[in-house]
Amino acid sequence: MPLETEAKAQVRALLADLRPGHGDLLAALHRVQHEFGYLSGDAIEVTAQQLGLFPAHVYGVITYYAEFRLEPPARVDIRWCSGPACRARNGGGIRDAILATLGCAMDGMTADGRAGVRLGQCNGTCELAPQVWVEERATHTNAIVGGLTAARAVRLARALRDGATAAAVLADSTITGGAIVGDALPDTVTAGATHA
Amino acid sequence: MPSPLELYEALRAPAAAAYAAWRKPVRPRIDVALDTSSLANGAAKTRAAIADAVRARNAAVDLGRVHGYGMQWCQPLVTVTFPDGASVIYGPVAPADAQTIVDIATGALPARHRLALGTVAGAVAGVPSMRDHPFFALEPRERRVLASIGLTDPESLDHAIANGAYHAAARMLDRHQTPAQVRQALVDAGVGGRGGGNFPAGTKWNFLATTPGEEHYVICNADEGDPGAWVNRVIMEGDPHLLIEGLLIAAYATGSRGGFIYIRDEYPLAITRIEQAVRDAEAAGLLSSGGSGEGILGTALRLELRVIRGAGSYVCGEETGLIASIADDRGMPRVKPPFPATSGVFFKPSNVNNVETYANAPLVLRHDAPWYHRYGTERMRGTRLFSFSGDIVRVGFMEVPFGVPLAGALEACGGIVPGHALKAVQSGGPLGSMLSAELLPQLDMENAPFTALDALLGGGGIVFLSDAVCTIHMGEMFAEFVEDESCGRCTTCLRGNQRMTEIYRRTIAGGGRREDRHNLELIDRTLQFSNCIHGQFSPKIMRNTLRFFPQEYERHALGHACDALTCAGLIRFRVTDQRDPALAEAQAICPVGAITGAPGARAVDDATCIRCGACTDVAPRGMAREAAPAAPRVIALA
Ligand SMILES: Cc1cc2nc3c(=O)[nH]c(=O)nc-3n(C[C@H](O)[C@H](O)[C@H](O)COP(=O)(O)O)c2cc1C
Ligand code: FES
């Protein structure tokens, strides 16, 4: 029996109502990632035990999906919309401006982990194209900033790179001026929970 | 034991009273649209400002919520409902307009106002009906699937029931129809799958119903992965009980006791609303839960619905990928047969339909086939939802009869933005189409005219692209998408799409070669041997582009030029006016420090410049984006 660390006990408690052969794996992974920010080796082990799966199977599922992470996320991510309406309005230039400002590749982050960039998919708010989402881990903020230009994206990325909080950046018109700052979408912590 | 209809009536009567009181409120009410689009446009800030204004004035006004009516370009939308039952939509309503809206609600200002877009109930002098707005010119006078949108609180089961939800299901359960009769009603109406394939839903339900075994499942495909398509989102956020009733009807018709609604990760509000609606339906005895308690509306029928949240994978929208994803596996599509009706989730017989397909089932049972056939064409019956985006004046969603001209839809969308002309129509998502403007007159909104052009109408998303857009640049985006989203099962798809993407990347980087065309065609032929439609259809946009935009392709591949000035390796940025004071800002904003030199002698270091366009954003007069001089310079080899 491997050592029961505190981290494992926490994951176990989080998944207590989930069970094998019941289609609960996605819900389990969402819950753990929402709580801890990523899926650690311990989390994989406990999830596998709880759902009667091999750890290798759980690992295989995690790596299949774009949204699951094996490493802690950045403090704030800029999620860049890769969709057509955004791309038609210099979305590609906006991406390159963000990557250059943060000095990382897509789905990467600054060396100090303050700000990252993630590939996003169109969610049907194309009236705001081109757009990004600002996702802050600590506050579970997920707000859209639309009507971007490459210049506005650089200002946004610089502020986040330099440590500003999502709330501060979204409220600061010297950073977001001219862009359309949306409100946070619901933080669906319970999503995927089963009625088991 | 009361009958299902009696039990339903016990729900309906108080619901109808509650809804009637909401429709004709004692005090005026302000409903801020709360949906993904409105929130993205700042509706929560608008709502907070209105709440503050009401409190500050102690105004005799209530606050409520609706789903936006379709005019996303006017978000945040706000509806004011007066005690006589008249409702006027205003938009866009910024927080600064809060006082005005409260004044309109209290009568201090006339309802007729520059922000007024139209009425959705009753009549107000000087305000046109929303039904007369040009954006809805193609919609039937009476909406069908969208009937409750904007006229109910989407989080209220009472509002749904007062508008007819679950009545058809209750009648069905009250022995008005056998399962076979329900399936036949769907067949007679000719409801086709709205996921894009138009496969007859009634026929598919027959497959499942006639498969032996006790444990059958109904599965709702709410993965809606095509960028530019968000019509499933509207149903889930705007009228969740319509979908749940559709699943209930399907479960009864196919002998299913379990169901899954698989919603993409990108739709948190839809997930929240559907989960809440499922809980409300359970509490009202319209769904079963937890393996205990009674059957639905006092009958033996049981249906437990579960919401599954996806995690970012396009091919999980393919039905066998979706099934694998629900059942704790990597969401990889597999070879068919066996079809889901034989071996679905947990290897049990299952039926997969799109959100909008299920949403049509209650409508069919509430009416009949002739009613259903009033709209649409012989081949595609009824109406369908479309979302329109791209370089158009009005971005939003609408419900139109199958077969209406796409040119009419572009007109409803206000046409292409001023100063530009239509260049391309992109429908059907990344596996869909890239059609040129001159084909527009041939394009009626049903599958046949699109298939005839080797294109795809698809799941409801249509993107209009202007002459400011380059189809090779867009092609690279879609190639990258299909490459990224390949599940990896077939080498043809995984490697073929990698090769296609590399060629696109090299071409937009300025390194197009003569042999590329031959290789693209070879990749196309090879991809046909992929197991699922993802691989088979992934070269469609490239094929469309070579066929309908041959000059643009040749210009890039052989002429090393991008006339739309979007492809990074074929353009450059240059200082054109040293006197522009904005050059200082341009120098400061450049993320790579490519603009060097002192005032009066500024220049762009071409080797450093990444062509993002930040400099021309801030100094459009002093900086220019222009065609790169002849000798192509390869920015980055793929
Ligand atoms: C790669 C791929 C992605 C798909 N994505 C979706 C989707 O997001 N939503 C959907 O309803 N159907 C999607 N489909 C079609 C489904 O496989 C299936 O045909 C559909 O859900 C059946 O429902 P319907 O008959 O009601 O249209 C996709 C197919 C493929 C090959
Ligand atoms: S394309 Fe970016 S929001 Fe739709």
Side-chain angles (χ1 to χ4, degrees):
Chain A
M1 181 84 191
L3 209 59
E4 181 73 0
T5 60
E6 197 184 329
K8 282 192 193 173
Q10 280 177 339
V11 175
R12 207 175 297 284
L14 203 58
L15 307 182
D17 61 325
L18 305 184
R19 57 182 202 246
H22 195 241
D24 284 348
L25 179 53
L26 282 176
L29 298 175
H30 276 302
R31 278 193 205 173
V32 175
Q33 181 160 296
H34 186 275
E35 187 66 25
F36 299 99
Y38 72 107
L39 302 161
S40 64
D42 279 351
I44 293 174
E45 203 177 307
V46 175
T47 306
Q49 279 169 7
Q50 181 74 25
L51 300 183
L53 301 165
F54 289 113
H57 181 105
V58 174
Y59 181 86
V61 169
I62 291 169
T63 54
Y64 184 77
Y65 296 96
E67 290 314 311
F68 292 134
R69 292 181 294 258
L70 294 161
E71 304 285 338
R75 179 190 61 102
V76 186
D77 273 312
I78 301 175
R79 187 178 290 271
W80 167 78
C81 179
S82 62
C86 290
R87 195 67 72 99
R89 299 190 179 165
N90 197 29
I94 289 170
R95 173 197 57 203
D96 295 344
I98 295 169
L99 295 178
T101 306
L102 300 186
C104 64
M106 186 55 75
D107 290 325
M109 62 179 91
T110 54
D112 62 7
R114 271 184 181 168
V117 55
R118 292 182 62 79
L119 184 79
Q121 301 296 342
C122 168
N123 70 346
T125 53
C126 313
E127 68 274 17
L128 292 171
Q131 67 179 43
V132 296
W133 295 244
V134 175
E135 299 180 350
E136 189 172 57
R137 160 90 188 112
T139 55
H140 287 288
T141 300
N142 173 12
I144 291 176
V145 181
L148 276 184
T149 59
R152 288 168 191 162
V154 171
R155 281 183 210 116
L156 183 74
R158 279 180 182 161
L160 294 173
R161 177 197 68 190
D162 295 344
T165 63
V169 167
L170 295 173
D172 186 342
S173 64
T174 64
I175 299 167
T176 53
I180 300 151
V181 178
D183 298 305
L185 290 168
D187 176 33
T188 48
V189 60
T190 60
T194 67
H195 307 284
Chain B
M1 183 73 200
S3 72
L5 275 174
E6 284 164 348
L7 287 171
Y8 175 78
E9 182 55 29
L11 294 173
R12 197 203 57 82
Y19 184 65
W22 191 81
R23 278 276 8 117
K24 284 194 176 185
V26 178
R27 315 189 324 165
R29 192 185 60 254
I30 300 172
D31 296 320
V32 178
L34 289 180
D35 53 59
T36 293
S37 156
S38 79
L39 287 170
N41 282 277
K45 286 189 269 288
T46 293
R47 194 174 200 275
I50 291 174
D52 284 347
V54 168
R55 217 171 303 118
R57 306 272 189 92
N58 208 4
V61 171
D62 293 310
L63 287 188
R65 100 168 67 71
V66 289
H67 186 285
Y69 196 72
M71 308 83 77
Q72 289 188 190
W73 80 96
C74 292
Q75 291 272 27
L77 296 165
V78 171
T79 306
V80 178
T81 296
F82 299 96
D84 67 354
S87 293
V88 181
I89 301 185
Y90 299 87
V93 181
D97 301 314
Q99 301 280 1
T100 306
I101 292 293
V102 174
D103 283 343
I104 289 170
T106 57
L109 277 175
R112 173 187 187 164
H113 184 272
R114 75 183 157 80
L115 288 175
L117 293 165
T119 59
V120 279
V124 170
V127 182
S129 165
M130 211 64 241
R131 305 312 299 152
D132 293 325
H133 192 284
F135 186 65
F136 300 114
L138 292 181
E139 283 201 345
R141 203 68 199 169
E142 307 259 311
R143 285 173 155 187
R144 288 179 167 186
V145 173
L146 294 182
S148 292
I149 300 291
L151 289 164
T152 57
D153 179 340
E155 295 186 15
S156 164
L157 173 63
D158 276 352
H159 287 197
I161 289 180
N163 282 279
Y166 300 106
H167 186 226
R171 276 172 45 94
M172 173 187 86
L173 290 171
D174 210 50
R175 294 169 209 273
H176 284 256
Q177 284 133 322
T178 63
Q181 285 170 330
V182 171
R183 299 195 305 269
Q184 193 56 42
L186 268 282
V187 171
D188 292 342
V191 177
R194 301 300 204 260
N198 194 39
F199 190 85
T203 308
K204 207 191 267 185
W205 295 11
N206 279 331
F207 292 155
L208 180 59
T210 52
T211 307
E214 278 292 284
E215 209 183 327
H216 290 185
Y217 289 95
V218 284
I219 300 171
C220 174
N221 188 341
D223 202 45
E224 196 160 57
D226 289 348
W230 64 87
V231 295
N232 287 177
R233 187 196 82 198
V234 170
I235 295 173
M236 291 189 284
E237 292 181 2
D239 197 0
H241 290 286
L242 186 66
L243 170 59
I244 295 172
E245 187 185 8
L247 278 157
L248 183 52
I249 291 167
Y252 173 79
T254 58
S256 303
R257 292 164 155 250
F260 295 93
I261 307 175
Y262 186 100
I263 310 179
R264 71 197 291 243
D265 188 55
E266 290 85 351
Y267 284 175
L269 184 60
I271 293 169
T272 308
R273 289 230 166 114
I274 290 285
E275 285 196 325
Q276 182 61 48
V278 167
R279 281 194 294 272
D280 290 348
E282 285 170 355
L286 296 160
L287 284 177
S288 2
S289 74
S292 59
E294 291 169 21
I296 292 164
L297 289 177
T299 66
L301 180 74
R302 309 190 52 87
L303 174 65
E304 279 184 43
L305 283 184
R306 277 178 53 197
V307 175
I308 305 281
R309 178 176 195 161
S313 165
Y314 177 70
V315 291
C316 284
E318 195 282 337
E319 56 189 15
T320 59
L322 187 108
I323 284 166
S325 183
I326 293 173
D328 293 351
D329 264 321
R330 289 162 73 90
M332 295 164 76
R334 60 157 173 79
V335 178
K336 291 183 275 188
F339 288 94
T342 316
S343 180
V345 69
F346 309 122
F347 307 105
K348 303 291 183 197
S350 308
N351 178 79
V352 182
N353 276 126
N354 175 264
V355 172
E356 193 180 338
T357 314
Y358 284 119
N360 270 270
L363 306 181
V364 168
L365 295 198
R366 274 179 222 169
H367 302 91
D368 54 15
W371 175 85
Y372 199 73
H373 294 171
R374 239 178 266 162
Y375 296 112
T377 66
E378 282 283 319
R379 283 173 300 220
M380 299 187 81
R381 300 291 194 180
T383 58
R384 94 146 297 166
L385 311 191
F386 284 98
S387 53
F388 295 98
S389 63
D391 301 318
I392 47 178
V393 174
R394 305 184 188 121
V395 172
F397 62 87
M398 61 176 87
E399 175 178 11
V400 303
F402 276 118
V404 297
L406 184 61
L410 176 57
E411 202 180 312
C413 293
I416 296 294
V417 291
H420 291 278
L422 176 69
K423 176 167 181 175
V425 176
Q426 205 287 310
S427 64
L431 308 178
S433 339
M434 187 67 79
L435 298 172
S436 51
E438 63 277 10
L439 299 169
L440 186 64
Q442 297 176 39
L443 296 173
D444 290 339
M445 294 167 79
E446 60 176 318
N447 286 1
F450 284 80
T451 342
L453 290 164
D454 184 29
L456 208 64
L457 176 60
I462 297 199
V463 189
F464 291 108
L465 299 170
S466 81
D467 51 17
V469 173
C470 165
T471 58
I472 308 304
H473 184 85
M474 295 303 283
E476 187 251 357
M477 168 206 145
F478 287 113
E480 188 173 34
F481 184 100
V482 290
E483 179 207 340
D484 221 31
E485 298 295 346
S486 169
C487 81
R489 196 190 286 280
C490 309
T491 310
T492 45
C493 173
L494 183 70
R495 298 289 179 226
N497 282 321
Q498 279 177 5
R499 289 292 295 123
M500 179 167 78
T501 306
E502 281 163 17
I503 294 177
Y504 263 113
R505 287 220 183 108
R506 183 163 39 68
T507 305
I508 67 174
R513 301 177 194 153
R514 187 163 295 279
E515 66 269 26
D516 285 342
R517 191 184 183 113
H518 167 79
N519 285 333
L520 287 170
E521 284 162 359
L522 181 63
I523 291 166
D524 181 8
R525 286 196 302 277
T526 309
L527 279 163
Q528 303 314 311
F529 293 98
S530 307
N531 277 323
C532 91
I533 302 238
H534 183 80
Q536 290 162 21
F537 282 20
S538 50
K540 234 178 201 303
I541 287 183
M542 179 263 286
R543 210 159 60 220
N544 275 189
T545 307
L546 292 183
R547 176 169 163 198
F548 300 116
F549 299 92
Q551 285 103 343
E552 187 149 52
Y553 175 73
E554 305 268 293
R555 283 284 287 158
H556 282 73
L558 306 178
H560 300 292
C562 172
D563 297 321
L565 299 180
T566 63
C567 289
L570 304 171
I571 56 169
R572 68 170 181 186
F573 286 78
R574 201 166 58 85
V575 178
T576 49
D577 183 356
Q578 294 285 356
R579 288 161 308 173
D580 183 357
L583 285 184
E585 204 189 336
Q587 195 163 14
I589 201 75
C590 177
V592 290
I595 304 176
T596 54
R602 289 189 174 97
V604 176
D605 175 21
D606 195 52
T608 311
C609 172
I610 56 169
R611 280 92 171 130
C612 70
C615 57
T616 43
D617 286 339
V618 299
R621 215 162 47 73
M623 300 283 313
R625 166 197 291 264
E626 57 184 33
R633 194 181 61 84
V634 176
I635 295 278
L637 271 175

